[in-house]
Amino acid sequence: MAAQPLVPARLAFAEDGTPWSDTFGDVYHSADGGLGQADHVFLAGNGLPQRWRGRERFVVLETGFGLGLNFLATWASWRDDPERCGRLHFVSCELHPFGTDDLARLHRRWPQFAELSAALRAQWPVLAPGLHRLHLDGERVTLTLYFGDAREGLAQLVARADAFYLDGFSPARNPELWSPQLCRQLAHLAAPGATLATWSVAGAVRRHLRDAGFELAKVPGFGGKRQMLRGRLPGAASTAPQPGGGTRDAPPRRHALIVGAGLAGCALAERLAARGWNIELIDAAAAPALGASGNLAGVLRPLPSLDDNRMSRLTRAGTLYGWRHIARLRAAGEAVKAAACGVLHLARDDTQAAKMVAVVERLGLPPGHLRYVAADEASTLAGWAVPIGGWWFGDSGWVHPPSLCAANLARHGDRVRTHFGRKLARLQRDDTGWCAVDERGTKIAGAAVLVLAVGSAVRDFVPARLLPVGSARGQVSLLPATPGGAPRVVVCRGGYVSPEVDGQHCTGASFDSDDEDAAPRLRDHADNLARLEAMLPGITAGLAPADVGGRVGFRPTSPDRLPMVGALPAASAVAPATPLAAIPRQPDAWVLSGYGARGLVWSEIAAELLASVLDGDPLPLERDLCEALDPARFLLRPPRGRATG
């Protein structure tokens, strides 16, 4: 089912000045004071800050983000506590999120949170449906927001919550957020000993929570409200396997052996190192990003669809998270060569142009993220006359992959030990973990956890019957460019061309399966120039295939064009009705592969996903999307034909 377009909240106030929702006909917090309510009902009601002390990680799950006041109060309390847990995860759902300008106006009421509010708004996500992950306070605080119906969001979350803030609008005004189904979802997401707190003591709310297994007690309420509700879920949490083949909480040894130093491997090294892991990174090349990740410029943008299918949702999530990650790297002083200059995706013909218009209207995304532009405006944006209109992604652009890889490795360099120029011959496992051995039988490195991020070369270590990774030869062409010349943005139409980067345009790319020729070919340069001419008529005048440079890379592909992220399967065949989570897996062996031509789109969100699985964090993608990426999926539906990009 396609996600419904988000309807942002409208800023309004009750007669006494309390923030008000016209949609639900209710206030966002008690008229006696929002901060007092946050402190008394939600923090103290869940035994905070005491309960997070001495913990490595603590997870709060909230049913209505609203103004973000509960989050700011919790973050401030965590900051002020010298005995705080190592990392705080705050997960929240919001059907009608505010925009940043309205949040700024609302948050001025609490000047004590000015620093935190500014940091939150600086990362506030595009108002698009789905999960959005924000890293704050040096990544010690992680905010995971679900924009959309909380009933759908809670069903899609993969998390173990230690405390619940039940803060929807009144049960009389918003009964869906207090339903039996939702209460059962809360119990399913609870960690051992999880607690809950809410200002509501309505009889139906108490009945639904008790039916879900919570033990409840009425306690003194806040302000003019005589009572509030506290609860606890006794017993142990569910130990059901997680998407991607994960079943773990934090492993006892945070030590990983990553094979491959392209976009996938370098991104994962950074995400794990940020969580305190030590990394052994192996690559046969002399430096990172010398394979398929070595192009001058690649495109980081989504691929929308009318039904907002898995590809659409995943590419949107990957693009938005990828640009936030680049911003974090730059804020930390790392040099990433990239520009969110905008991406213009031109239609093939009038029929596709009409479909593009329909997609924009159906999804209802903010125009700064996606809108349709006619040929005249498209020409102005590109700085060159184009034959037709298309999609304009105003917050997307190009990235220089080698600089992103280098920044990821440098970000936590003290935790990443590199082994370049070491060709892996075999992998072996014993009681201490995994060991990588070279062609001479010499140990390269070892660790408790193995991750194969070695592109299409994963086929050298994993049989195709377990992991159907293909290889696609891609050739890009490099053309001389004039600074400030056309195109001024990335343009796509059957291929892509970058604006000027280091005095050159990068254009292409070919996509040839089962072609192992590593040398650039004139006919592929000719094809790239033909694609460029179709995008920007006249721009190739005077250029011949022999006049341009280029490079060749080999991209790992998957049969369904989605990446493979998760635990390596150990069985070559399973019954068709077998649940994904029940498929046998290789012990402590994981894979990142199948990125195809979208390495930049997939690399950062896939790394955050796998790092979250390995470290026991709430996952940054919805459950159905995680399952769509599980490497074992092909055992249930064997691929037909060749893998594609």
Side-chain angles (χ1 to χ4, degrees):
M1 179 183 295
Q4 296 298 312
L6 284 180
V7 178
R10 190 181 75 85
L11 188 61
F13 300 91
E15 291 183 0
D16 63 0
T18 304
W20 171 268
S21 169
D22 286 335
T23 302
F24 294 100
D26 201 358
V27 291
Y28 275 96
H29 61 69
S30 168
D32 294 303
L35 182 55
Q37 177 178 282
D39 286 338
H40 180 88
V41 175
F42 297 109
L43 277 98
N46 277 287
L48 301 176
Q50 293 82 4
R51 286 185 58 233
W52 64 40
R53 290 174 179 166
R55 298 278 297 274
E56 179 179 324
R57 166 196 301 105
F58 195 87
V59 179
V60 176
L61 197 159
E62 179 186 49
T63 54
F65 190 77
L67 318 179
L69 183 56
N70 291 337
F71 169 65
L72 292 174
T74 303
W75 183 5
S77 177
W78 176 87
R79 260 195 167 192
D80 292 341
D81 184 2
E83 301 177 69
R84 60 182 173 259
C85 55
R87 300 178 69 220
L88 174 67
H89 278 270
F90 197 100
V91 184
S92 188
C93 301
E94 181 53 57
L95 178 58
H96 300 296
F98 282 103
T100 52
D101 291 343
D102 285 344
L103 285 177
R105 180 178 173 186
L106 289 162
H107 291 170
R108 282 199 292 269
R109 294 166 170 243
W110 302 284
Q112 62 269 51
F113 297 149
E115 178 191 353
L116 306 187
S117 173
L120 171 62
R121 296 195 311 275
Q123 290 198 46
W124 193 244
V126 168
L127 300 189
L131 280 175
H132 303 265
R133 172 152 291 181
L134 284 61
H135 299 285
L136 301 158
D137 216 331
E139 298 205 29
R140 298 176 300 166
V141 174
T142 299
L143 173 61
T144 303
L145 290 165
Y146 180 82
F147 286 165
D149 191 313
R151 293 170 296 175
E152 298 173 3
L154 294 177
Q156 290 279 19
L157 282 177
V158 182
R160 287 286 175 259
D162 300 295
F164 294 99
Y165 293 1
L166 306 189
D167 194 23
F169 290 106
S170 162
R173 304 300 179 100
N174 188 22
E176 291 83 2
L177 270 191
W178 309 90
S179 67
Q181 175 192 11
L182 186 135
C183 293
R184 289 193 298 269
Q185 289 171 337
L186 297 178
H188 178 73
L189 292 165
T195 62
L196 67 82
T198 178
W199 47 266
S200 177
V201 292
V205 171
R206 287 182 282 123
R207 183 171 63 254
H208 299 334
L209 288 171
R210 284 199 179 103
D211 289 346
F214 288 95
E215 297 175 346
L216 303 174
K218 292 181 181 179
V219 297
F222 171 73
K225 192 161 178 52
R226 188 170 61 88
Q227 293 178 316
M228 57 171 273
L229 205 61
R230 295 182 64 174
R232 179 180 180 275
L233 188 68
S238 167
T239 56
Q242 301 304 303
T247 58
R248 65 177 69 234
D249 290 320
R253 292 175 57 201
R254 285 187 166 90
H255 191 196
L257 174 64
I258 300 176
V259 183
L263 282 167
C266 292
L268 181 63
E270 191 278 335
R271 290 290 75 215
L272 286 175
R275 289 165 164 82
W277 285 58
N278 292 315
I279 308 299
E280 308 289 340
L281 182 64
I282 300 174
D283 200 290
L290 293 185
S293 302
N295 288 341
L296 175 68
V299 189
L300 179 51
R301 58 97 181 204
L303 184 65
S305 67
L306 191 61
D307 60 351
D308 205 27
N309 58 30
R310 293 179 306 176
M311 178 70 76
S312 176
R313 293 162 58 204
L314 280 163
T315 56
R316 182 168 66 237
T319 297
L320 296 175
Y321 185 82
W323 284 111
R324 285 197 297 272
H325 180 71
I326 289 171
R328 290 198 310 275
L329 288 173
R330 286 173 165 171
E334 305 298 341
V336 182
K337 191 182 298 182
C341 57
V343 175
L344 182 62
H345 183 151
L346 301 175
R348 290 188 304 270
D349 50 35
D350 290 341
T351 299
Q352 190 187 35
K355 291 180 180 178
M356 287 179 155
V357 171
V359 168
V360 171
E361 293 175 348
R362 173 67 184 85
L363 297 183
L365 296 167
H369 176 69
L370 171 66
R371 62 188 177 95
Y372 183 84
V373 295
D376 287 349
E377 185 177 359
S379 298
T380 300
L381 291 167
W384 192 272
V386 299
I388 197 168
W391 284 326
W392 172 244
F393 302 95
D395 54 1
S396 293
W398 62 268
V399 180
H400 177 246
S403 72
L404 178 57
C405 290
N408 275 330
L409 295 186
R411 179 68 185 94
H412 306 282
D414 57 329
R415 291 194 172 276
V416 180
R417 184 182 177 192
T418 58
H419 306 268
F420 292 124
R422 303 294 299 275
K423 183 173 176 56
L424 177 64
R426 69 178 188 275
L427 293 160
Q428 56 194 42
R429 189 173 185 275
D430 57 26
D431 292 340
T432 64
W434 288 92
C435 180
V437 179
D438 67 16
E439 294 169 310
R440 295 175 294 181
T442 304
K443 178 180 177 179
I444 303 172
V449 173
L450 167 69
V451 182
L452 293 173
V454 71
S456 56
V458 71
R459 299 178 300 178
D460 297 338
F461 306 100
V462 182
R465 66 180 185 277
L466 295 180
L467 202 67
V469 175
S471 177
R473 179 186 182 277
Q475 180 173 317
V476 297
S477 301
L478 300 174
L479 289 62
T482 302
R488 294 194 290 259
V489 301
V490 178
V491 182
C492 305
R493 192 191 190 198
Y496 78 96
V497 61
S498 73
E500 181 268 331
V501 180
D502 294 342
Q504 298 182 97
H505 295 296
C506 185
T507 190
S510 63
F511 194 94
D512 300 303
S513 298
D514 303 323
D515 185 337
E516 302 300 323
D517 185 2
R521 299 188 295 231
L522 287 179
R523 70 172 182 269
D524 289 336
H525 283 321
D527 290 343
N528 286 340
L529 290 176
R531 279 188 283 267
L532 176 58
E533 183 67 19
M535 287 185 267
L536 305 171
I539 202 166
T540 65
L543 280 175
D547 298 331
V548 302
R551 71 183 304 275
V552 172
F554 297 92
R555 297 165 291 196
T557 61
S558 74
D560 60 5
R561 301 192 302 147
L562 295 177
M564 304 174 187
V565 183
L568 275 171
S572 59
V574 296
T578 303
L580 269 173
I583 293 175
R585 310 292 175 134
Q586 299 279 356
D588 293 311
W590 307 76
V591 66
L592 292 170
S593 192
Y595 288 12
R598 297 187 176 91
L600 283 168
V601 175
W602 304 133
S603 58
E604 299 302 337
I605 191 64
E608 175 64 15
L609 171 59
L610 185 52
S612 297
V613 171
L614 288 170
D615 210 50
D617 288 338
L619 301 192
L621 289 173
E622 294 91 328
R623 180 181 293 273
D624 68 323
L625 297 183
C626 297
E627 291 174 347
L629 305 184
D630 192 320
R633 65 190 185 270
F634 300 108
L635 297 179
L636 302 179
R637 43 185 173 88
R640 297 179 180 179
R642 294 179 177 179
T644 63

